[in-house]
Amino acid sequence: MTLSAAGSIGSSPGPSTGSSSEPSTSPARGRHRRLTVLWVLILLSVLPWRQGAYFTGGLDPVVVAKSMVGVLAFAAAWFTWGGARRRSDLGITTLVLVGGYLAVTVIGGWAAGALVASAIVAARVLLLMATVMLVMTSHTVETTMRAARNAIVLTGGVIALTGAGSLATEGRLRGGVLPLNPNDLAMMFGFAVLVNVWLLLERRATRLDKAATLVLFVLVALTGSRTGLVALLLAIGLAALTYRRRPGGVFVLAAVALPAMLYLAASSGMAAAYFNRGGDASVLTLNSRTIAWTAAFDQPYEFWQAWFGRGLSAKTVGVSGTFWDTQVLDSSWVSAYVQGGAIGLALLALWCVRNLLRALRLGHPQQALVLPVVVFALIYSVTASGLIDAYVLFLLMLMCSLSIDLTHAPELDPGRAEGRGA
C-alpha cells in the first residue's frame, strides 16, 4: 500500500491544491457551479432529514428519498469524472482502511442479527466514499474543497436561516428546514472558515471570502458549540503556525489582536459565560455522555460483539440507573467500538493516525489546508459520532485522506488551462 510521496499532491505550488485562483473564464465558472451543486447533493444525502430517527432496516419515503439523492450524486460524479480532461491517480490506503472497517461492521451486524440494516448503511458509506473519490480524482484538491465550502455555506445558510428563531427561544442557533443540532452547524461552518483562512494566508481570498469568514465565525459562536469553537480556534492557530509564508501584516495583526481578544474575553467574563452555558444542564449533558460511554465498554463479554461490534446500524447503547433505557453514543470512538468492536476501533485509530502523520509531512502550501481540517475533525470526533459513517464529519476526514492518497494531481483546473491558453 505504499503511495508516492505526499508532495505529489503539491510539493510544488502547482499540483498540490491547484494553486489556482477562483475560476475566471465562463466555462470554468460553469464547471465550478456544477461541482458546487454536486456537493449540495452529497450534503443532502448525509444530513439528517428528521430528528431522533435512526435507520433500522425498514424503508419509508425519507429513507428512499435520501438514497435516491445519494445515487444521483454518484451518477453526477461519474459523469464529471468521465468528462475530466485529466485525472489523478489514487492510492489505496483509504479504500483499504475504510473498506476494512465497513467489512468488520457488516460481520458484526450479521452476528448481532442486524445484517440487512448494517449492510445497507455500510453500502451507503461505500457509495459516499466512491462519489468523493470520483470528485477528487477529477479536480484539484483546492477546487474540491472550495466547492465543498460553497455548498456548505449555501446549504448551511438556508438551514441556519430557517432555524434562526432558536436564538430567541433557547439562545443557540440550530437547524430549521433540516433538524441539524448546533454542533452540526458549527462543524459545517467551521470547515468553511478554515478553507477561507487558508485562502487568506495564500493572499488569494476575495473580498467576499474575507467578509464571509467573519460572518461564518460569528455563526459558529452563535451555535453555542463549545467543541466547535475550541476546535476551530485550535485549527486556525495551527494553520497560521504551519504556513511558511505568513504575510507580515497578518502576523503583526494576529500578534497584537489575539492577546487583546484573550484579555478582553477573560476580563469581561465573556469566555466564562460562553463555556458555562447551560449551568447544571451543561453538566447533565456531559454526564449523560459519560454514562453512555461507560455502558458501551461495560457490556458483558461476547466474542463477536467484542471483536466485530454490532454493525453500523447500532447508534445507541443500553444504560441502567437512569430515567431512560438507551443513550445515543455521541462519540466516534465509542461508536467505533460498539459498531466494529476492537478490530473496528483499531482500524479507525490506524486511519486517523495515518492521516495525521501524513498531513504533518505534506509540503507547502497544502499542509496548512489539510492538517488543520484533520485536527478539526479529530477534535470533533471525541464528542460526535460519524467519523466513518454517512455523516459530514466523515466527509471532512475523507477529503483530507484522499488528498494525501492522490499520487498525480492535475496542475491546473481545465478552466485555468483554457484561460492561460487564450
Side-chain angles (χ1 to χ4, degrees):
M1 294 190 298
T2 303
L3 302 179
S4 63
S8 62
I9 73 164
S11 293
S12 60
S16 95
T17 51
S19 82
S20 58
S21 59
E22 193 73 23
S24 56
T25 65
S26 295
R29 282 197 299 268
R31 278 187 288 269
H32 197 74
R33 291 193 190 101
R34 288 193 293 271
L35 184 57
T36 298
V37 172
L38 172 54
W39 270 108
V40 169
L41 291 175
I42 293 173
L43 285 173
L44 290 177
S45 72
V46 300
L47 292 176
W49 289 19
R50 53 189 174 187
Q51 192 170 10
Y54 302 106
F55 180 71
T56 58
L59 294 179
D60 58 53
V62 172
V63 172
V64 173
K66 287 189 68 174
S67 299
M68 290 178 63
V69 172
V71 172
L72 180 61
F74 175 78
W78 177 268
F79 283 111
T80 299
W81 182 84
R85 297 187 177 185
R86 189 175 183 183
R87 307 186 190 107
S88 303
D89 297 325
L90 190 66
I92 63 172
T93 305
T94 299
L95 181 61
V96 168
L97 292 177
V98 177
Y101 178 91
L102 296 177
V104 168
T105 61
V106 171
I107 295 173
W110 164 76
L115 175 60
V116 174
S118 297
I120 290 176
V121 178
R124 283 188 60 205
V125 177
L126 197 60
L127 181 67
L128 180 63
M129 182 167 64
T131 302
V132 178
M133 282 181 170
L134 291 172
V135 170
M136 295 205 67
T137 52
S138 55
H139 300 84
T140 63
V141 176
E142 178 192 342
T143 300
T144 300
M145 290 201 174
R146 276 190 166 192
R149 174 207 62 180
N150 292 347
I152 280 175
V153 170
L154 290 173
T155 308
V158 172
I159 294 171
L161 184 62
T162 55
S166 61
L167 285 171
T169 57
E170 57 182 287
R172 301 183 67 184
L173 182 63
R174 63 171 61 247
V177 63
L178 293 181
L180 269 67
N181 64 48
N183 289 332
D184 291 340
L185 283 176
M187 182 193 305
M188 293 170 63
F189 293 141
F191 168 76
V193 170
L194 291 178
V195 175
N196 284 354
V197 166
W198 182 81
L199 289 172
L200 285 167
L201 291 171
E202 278 280 285
R203 303 182 187 182
R204 292 192 287 111
T206 65
R207 292 181 180 178
L208 181 59
D209 291 332
K210 295 174 183 178
T213 303
L214 179 60
V215 173
L216 291 166
F217 189 88
V218 171
L219 289 174
V220 171
L222 289 176
T223 64
S225 172
R226 290 164 294 203
T227 301
L229 186 60
V230 169
L232 180 57
L233 290 174
L234 290 177
I236 290 174
L238 187 60
L241 288 173
T242 55
Y243 196 81
R244 298 180 184 177
R245 297 181 302 178
R246 288 182 290 271
V250 172
F251 181 79
V252 172
L253 180 63
V256 174
L258 186 58
M261 291 171 62
L262 291 175
Y263 174 78
L264 176 63
S267 62
S268 65
M270 287 169 30
Y274 188 86
F275 287 99
N276 288 329
R277 158 188 61 76
D280 293 340
S282 176
V283 176
L284 181 61
T285 299
L286 178 60
N287 285 343
S288 66
R289 280 178 173 158
T290 56
I291 288 171
W293 299 347
T294 302
F297 289 100
D298 283 347
Q299 297 291 319
Y301 178 82
E302 197 275 327
F303 174 81
W304 291 103
Q305 182 173 323
W307 289 99
F308 294 91
R310 296 190 285 121
L312 277 177
S313 61
K315 308 294 186 184
T316 61
V317 65
V319 296
S320 58
T322 62
F323 295 110
W324 54 93
D325 297 325
T326 59
Q327 173 70 38
V328 179
L329 295 167
D330 277 338
S331 171
S332 292
W333 300 96
V334 180
S335 294
Y337 179 73
V338 171
Q339 296 171 346
I343 298 176
L345 183 59
L347 287 171
L348 177 64
L350 181 60
W351 186 48
C352 291
V353 170
R354 174 261 182 185
N355 289 342
L356 183 60
L357 293 179
R358 291 296 300 271
L360 285 168
R361 293 170 52 194
L362 290 175
H364 174 82
Q366 73 275 16
Q367 186 187 68
L369 175 61
V370 174
L371 181 59
V373 178
V374 169
V375 172
F376 180 76
L378 286 176
I379 295 173
Y380 247 106
S381 70
V382 177
T383 58
S385 298
L387 199 52
I388 297 184
D389 205 340
Y391 186 51
V392 175
L393 185 59
F394 175 59
L395 287 176
L396 302 188
M397 183 64 82
L398 181 63
M399 280 191 290
C400 295
S401 186
L402 292 177
S403 70
I404 295 169
D405 282 349
L406 291 174
T407 57
H408 184 271
E411 295 185 2
L412 290 172
D413 293 328
R416 290 284 294 174
E418 290 171 4
R420 184 168 291 185

